[in-house]
Amino acid sequence: MSTDLNIDIHNTTFYDVDVSSALSHPIPTKPVAAREEAMCLLELQKQLDADISRHMTVLTSNDIDMHTLLVDAQGFPLANKDLMAIRTARQRINILRNDSKAVRERVSKLLELAINGDEVSVTPANSSAARRAAEFKAFARVNSVAENSPAKTAGLQAGDEILSFGSVTANEPNGLGALAAPGVVVDGSRIQLLVKRDGAAENVALTLVPRADWGGRGLLGCHLLPL
């Protein structure tokens, strides 16, 4: 996988590198490029998490957490503690956590672009995109929608025919199977849907936000059948 991040994520001293260099360039405009960068940043995220964990072991080995006072009741430095190592570890953890948050936020934006193509903003149901029936062919039908699920919250209904699911349309060679590809359905990353609904004068545009914590199976809470 190609990347222009110029960061060796396998370098054991990586945590000393300022990750702003990986976050300072503009968001890619093409879904494929966005997905590639997101995958690279996810690897970067793993290294950040590993570095945070490694620094946390310094604290746990001293029976200390991020908030433990380093002085006793009389105000003297705690005895039998490696105070310099503890302070260094705490500083590194705070920096790495901030870096981790920034990386996660960028990954979320990248995956949204990768999933939805160029349509990152919410498309209202009465927009011109929702009226372009001739440009779309249904490739899946909603068989059922679970109560309190992300699909239910989005307004998806049993019987709806899926015209587009993010960047996936009937032109996708893998059909409905394309939804299982990495980066297509991601927890917390919104997906723009265009559906054909019986009784509706126009196609309906919906925004679906997959969630792992909704209380049921899967991220969507609906059952789709291929057409």
Side-chain angles (χ1 to χ4, degrees):
M1 181 181 298
S2 63
T3 176
D4 58 354
L5 300 183
N6 296 319
I7 290 178
D8 181 4
I9 62 174
H10 302 294
N11 189 332
T12 57
T13 61
F14 162 73
Y15 64 90
D16 288 325
V17 177
D18 182 2
V19 300
S20 62
S21 61
L23 307 175
S24 59
H25 55 280
I27 294 285
T29 58
K30 300 297 183 181
V32 172
R35 182 172 298 182
E36 285 190 356
E37 183 180 332
M39 295 302 104
C40 291
L41 287 179
L42 286 173
E43 291 299 316
L44 186 65
Q45 183 66 59
K46 291 179 183 178
Q47 183 63 57
L48 287 170
D49 291 342
D51 288 333
I52 291 172
S53 178
R54 180 167 53 81
H55 285 296
M56 287 297 297
T57 61
V58 175
L59 304 187
T60 56
S61 65
N62 282 276
D63 196 24
I64 293 289
D65 61 26
M66 290 292 289
H67 307 290
T68 305
L69 293 177
L70 300 183
V71 295
D72 59 23
Q74 287 73 42
F76 293 103
L78 294 177
N80 302 319
K81 305 291 183 184
D82 190 343
L83 299 182
M84 181 175 292
I86 291 170
R87 292 190 179 98
T88 300
R90 282 178 168 179
Q91 181 184 39
R92 289 304 311 164
I93 289 169
N94 283 328
I95 292 172
L96 288 165
R97 282 177 173 174
N98 287 335
D99 288 345
S100 178
K101 179 181 178 182
V103 169
R104 290 182 190 277
E105 289 175 350
R106 185 174 178 94
V107 167
S108 178
K109 293 178 181 178
L110 289 165
L111 288 177
E112 186 175 335
L113 173 59
I115 292 167
N116 294 306
D118 294 329
E119 298 292 334
V120 177
S121 59
V122 176
T123 305
N126 62 353
S127 70
S128 59
R131 295 194 294 267
R132 293 180 298 176
E135 297 183 19
F136 295 94
K137 177 182 178 182
F139 66 93
R141 178 181 292 109
V142 180
N143 184 48
S144 61
V145 179
E147 289 297 325
N148 302 316
S149 67
K152 185 75 171 182
T153 301
L156 208 57
Q157 299 178 11
D160 284 349
E161 294 186 353
I162 307 297
L163 303 175
S164 66
F165 190 103
S167 59
V168 177
T169 66
N171 294 325
E172 171 60 48
N174 294 328
L176 192 57
L179 303 187
V184 175
V185 178
V186 179
D187 188 12
S189 293
R190 65 185 183 182
I191 305 170
Q192 305 301 323
L193 275 66
L194 188 62
V195 305
K196 180 180 179 181
R197 179 171 295 167
D198 284 345
E202 299 177 342
N203 296 328
V204 180
L206 304 172
T207 300
L208 174 60
V209 182
R211 289 187 7 252
D213 62 352
W214 68 274
R217 295 179 58 185
L219 296 175
L220 304 179
C222 64
H223 181 220
L224 303 179
L225 297 175
L227 292 178

